[in-house]
Amino acid sequence: MPTHRQAEQTRERIIEAAYQAILEHGIAGATTKRIARLAGCSEALLYKHFDAKEELFLAVILERMPALAPPLRRLHAAAGEGDLHAHLTEFALAAITFYTSTAPIASGMIGDPPLLGTFRGMLANLDAGPHLPIRILATILRSEQESGRIAAGADCDALASLLMGACYHRAHLSYFVDQAVSDEDYARAVVATLLSSTR
């Protein structure tokens, strides 16, 4: 009987195999058969660790993709202090990296209505989803507003949506065309434009 450590190692191997299968073949091509082959295990073993393929894909997003939670925590910790433009630029770069990484999964799910429906249900049960980072960012921006670093009349919910939307757009464009400027220059310009609009 496998030990807890062995079970954890097998689970990690399966998640990594699913991640590689998605990167190489997209959501549609990331079949359980292919994932099992990459993981060096049987398809039956996949379902001993995950109740459904959607659960495995969620684990890939949560455990293999760059996360937005750490940069949001850093941004929150720095609220009211230091260079706001620099802090927001650093966060924007992290958001671009996150959206670039998750695009293959997100696009694949959007193109598969039954899979998307199941995944939406899972997110609802977990009280999770792509709207939460925007909400958290808006809260951080309101804190900056209270400290006088963002104009009192600025709509922080709109600012958060605009910043995240710009990062999302940049990430998706990168799959289709070469970018004229670096991600860092882009992030810096977007943040400067947004902050100047609040003065």
Side-chain angles (χ1 to χ4, degrees):
M1 186 172 181
T3 65
H4 177 72
R5 178 63 185 151
Q6 288 171 327
E8 281 297 307
Q9 289 174 336
T10 300
R11 182 181 182 279
E12 288 292 314
R13 200 168 70 247
I14 292 169
I15 293 172
E16 180 61 28
Y19 179 45
Q20 292 304 318
I22 292 166
L23 290 180
E24 294 172 20
H25 306 283
I27 284 281
T31 62
T32 53
K33 183 176 182 178
R34 179 168 276 144
I35 293 168
R37 186 170 65 249
L38 287 170
C41 67
S42 66
E43 286 183 78
L45 186 58
L46 297 183
Y47 291 103
K48 287 188 177 179
H49 291 272
F50 301 95
D51 291 336
K53 190 162 74 166
E54 294 82 4
E55 186 180 310
L56 173 54
F57 289 162
L58 181 61
V60 170
I61 292 173
L62 296 178
E63 300 177 36
R64 277 294 177 277
M65 303 288 183
L68 281 177
L72 279 169
R73 281 195 293 269
R74 287 194 298 273
L75 195 60
H76 183 263
E81 301 176 359
D83 184 338
L84 178 58
H85 181 276
H87 295 323
L88 286 174
T89 298
E90 179 186 347
F91 172 76
L93 281 167
I96 290 169
T97 299
F98 172 78
Y99 286 131
T100 302
S101 301
T102 58
I105 289 184
S107 298
M109 287 189 177
I110 291 169
D112 185 336
L115 178 62
L116 180 61
T118 302
F119 196 72
R120 281 174 61 98
M122 289 173 60
L123 291 177
N125 289 337
L126 293 169
D127 192 24
H131 61 295
L132 294 181
I134 302 172
R135 188 182 299 168
I136 294 167
L137 178 59
T139 299
I140 294 169
L141 293 177
R142 273 190 283 276
S143 177
E144 294 287 6
Q145 192 173 49
E146 289 168 6
S147 68
R149 284 149 57 94
I150 290 178
D155 184 330
C156 291
D157 291 303
L159 286 174
S161 292
L162 287 167
L163 180 55
M164 296 294 270
C167 295
Y168 180 87
H169 181 64
R170 169 76 175 194
H172 278 258
L173 278 181
S174 70
Y175 282 95
F176 300 99
V177 295
D178 292 332
Q179 305 297 303
V181 298
S182 68
D183 286 348
E184 186 171 356
D185 287 342
Y186 173 85
R188 192 180 296 114
V190 167
V191 169
T193 301
L194 287 176
L195 290 181
S196 68
S197 72
T198 70
R199 293 187 186 126

